[in-house]
Amino acid sequence: MLQFLNKSLKSSNTFQLDVIADRVIELSDKADLSAAIADLSSSEGKRMILGGGSNVLFSGDYNGTVLLNQLKGIEVTGEDEEHYLITSASGVNWDGFVETSVKNDWYGLENLSLIPGTVGAAPIQNIGAYGQEAGNLIESVTSYDILNRTTFTLTGAQCRFGYRTSIFKNELKGRVFIINVTFRLRKHFTPILGYRDVAIRFEERESDGILAAEVREAVIEIRKAKLPNPAEIGNAGSFFKNPEISTAKFTALKQKHPGIPAYPIGNVVKIPAGWLIQEAGWKGRRYKNCGTYPKQALVLVNYGDAHPSELLELKEMIKTDVMEKFSIKLEEEVNIID
Ligand code: FAD
Ligand code: EPU
């Protein structure tokens, strides 16, 4: 377990913000887990866990202790006729985990290729992309309760996964360290081709002959064409969630804005926040050292040396303009760290 004082977090957050943490503990050996949690829970002041830093926006220097999770290891922990149970330590890189699963013929994760971050953060907002969500494949999550220093395991159902949410973003927010996640992955591959961008790639193919590696490759290409690479341009993916509005509100909006894209889900309608931001005039627009990405208005970017306050100002201006134009309140997907 390594410890650093007054350490820059620039390389530990994908917005690449040069903020300083009072103290950083790097946890890479499972044998140090109890000591690291004991240290964290008894440390004075603020404390937080950081994985890949790809879903956080620091609002300034962090006056507290950061536990940087680097626990590694992937194991087959069970199987039945149709599935493997695969347990991954929480500090494993998510896309490395997806790649390992595809190489080993453990199926289900392909559509979630190239999402940055760690396995341990996947259940927190129930990461999703291209027609799949991590929660659909999670068998259980084992965590350490930071307050009373006990470990406990929740089943997938107990995690209460929803669109970009789970128990970890609600009742358990800030209370636990996720140690490992067990996935129930299939032995037989069935491609998920419902999302338009993916469907187009495979429209000439028989579903039977499509390989998991091909779906992974297609998703990687789609993402590379649309989303900025955080190693080149600081960003944290979609900054806001796609809002869900009532059918009545949608009908009224559609009269005023006939081109509004919409995805009905049960008795609500999901509207792409990227479209709302674009129509509010923000697509590709710069503000000080930041802005929205020209190919995807939902992604806020740091063009270099942005101060956290610039991104906070930008996101507030966007929210105000979307509210004014559409009477829709955008909600942050990214975790703002005070
Ligand atoms: P961090 O940013 O380090 O942490 C996020 C939150 O989880 C923080 O509150 C942190 O305290 C907490 N946390 C992290 N690890 C633990 C742990 N072990 N125990 C307890 N709490 C913990 N997300 C999607 O859902 N779909 C996408 O398609 C997608 N695309 C993206 C594309 C880009 C280019 C980027 C930059 C981000 C994208 N994201 C996407 C968001 C992000 O990749 C995910 O939310 C990811 O799961 C965050 O992982 P992380 O390890 O970086 O978490
Ligand atoms: N759109 C625009 N202008 C834009 C961006 C989008 O009009 O600038 C409209 C288009 O109509 C487009 C639609 O929005 O067809 C959907 O866009 P896209 O396919 O890029 O997906 P998204 O809804 O913007 C969501 C997730 C992504 C995920 C993709 C693929 C949220 C908040 N975001 O984005 O997740 O990768 O779908 O499934 O749900 C993330 O969470 O960080 C993230 C990147």
Side-chain angles (χ1 to χ4, degrees), residues 54-324:
S54 64
N55 207 22
V56 289
L57 169 55
F58 283 95
S59 58
D61 288 342
Y62 191 74
N63 304 121
T65 301
V66 174
L67 179 65
L68 197 58
N69 177 23
Q70 297 174 344
L71 292 178
K72 300 284 188 268
I74 300 172
E75 284 181 80
V76 181
T77 45
E79 71 179 288
D80 61 25
E81 223 167 86
E82 292 184 15
H83 303 97
Y84 292 108
L85 292 182
I86 311 293
T87 302
S88 169
S90 53
V92 168
N93 170 266
W94 174 263
D95 190 52
F97 178 58
V98 176
E99 187 181 26
T100 301
S101 76
V102 171
K103 282 191 177 145
N104 283 283
D105 302 327
W106 309 330
Y107 301 124
L109 297 167
E110 313 73 31
N111 294 52
L112 301 175
S113 291
L114 209 65
I115 297 179
T118 54
V119 169
I124 294 176
Q125 71 158 9
N126 180 21
I127 57 169
Y130 303 102
Q132 182 60 293
E133 284 183 341
N136 294 333
L137 302 161
I138 290 177
E139 175 76 4
S140 61
V141 178
T142 298
S143 310
Y144 207 118
D145 188 318
I146 296 170
L147 293 184
N148 57 27
R149 301 186 200 172
T150 50
T151 53
F152 64 99
T153 298
L154 296 178
T155 62
Q158 288 170 327
C159 292
R160 295 210 295 276
F161 293 119
Y163 167 62
R164 295 295 189 272
T165 192
S166 73
I167 194 167
F168 304 105
K169 282 205 92 170
N170 294 287
E171 291 94 312
L172 296 180
K173 191 176 168 137
R175 268 199 59 174
V176 301
F177 172 77
I178 294 177
I179 304 169
N180 62 51
V181 184
T182 298
F183 294 81
R184 175 178 287 273
L185 301 178
R186 282 184 297 276
K187 292 185 174 178
H188 302 287
F189 180 59
T190 313
I192 298 172
L193 307 174
Y195 204 95
R196 199 171 161 270
D197 295 359
V198 182
I200 291 168
R201 300 260 168 162
F202 293 99
E203 62 192 355
E204 316 250 288
R205 300 275 305 274
E206 289 289 330
S207 161
D208 278 0
I210 297 171
L211 304 174
E214 292 179 294
V215 174
R216 171 168 164 78
E217 213 40 58
V219 168
I220 288 174
E221 278 176 23
I222 294 164
R223 295 183 68 97
K224 282 187 173 166
K226 205 182 266 195
L227 294 165
N229 177 353
E232 289 157 14
I233 304 177
N235 77 93
S238 300
F239 195 88
F240 301 101
K241 294 184 209 169
N242 286 329
E244 292 171 347
I245 61 174
S246 68
T247 314
K249 185 164 180 175
F250 173 68
T251 309
L253 271 176
K254 178 115 180 126
Q255 292 207 321
K256 246 174 124 182
H257 309 278
I260 188 168
Y263 304 92
I265 305 167
N267 54 1
V268 294
V269 181
K270 197 184 258 190
I271 311 290
W275 185 86
L276 297 170
I277 296 169
Q278 173 188 303
E279 296 303 303
W282 277 104
K283 189 166 183 168
R285 203 163 133 194
R286 283 178 89 122
Y287 171 72
K288 297 186 181 170
N289 293 307
C290 49
T292 67
Y293 193 56
K295 293 186 205 163
Q296 216 322 345
L298 186 48
V299 180
L300 270 53
V301 294
N302 171 10
Y303 283 110
D305 298 330
H307 188 271
S309 61
E310 298 174 12
L311 281 154
L312 292 169
E313 286 160 19
L314 172 64
K315 66 111 176 155
E316 284 307 320
M317 289 188 290
I318 291 173
K319 283 176 82 169
T320 302
D321 288 357
V322 167
M323 175 55 93
E324 243 168 48

Side-chain angles (χ1 to χ4, degrees), residues 9-21:
L9 296 176
K10 190 168 186 265
S11 61
S12 305
N13 74 100
T14 61
F15 260 126
Q16 296 176 20
L17 296 174
D18 193 6
V19 293
I20 310 291

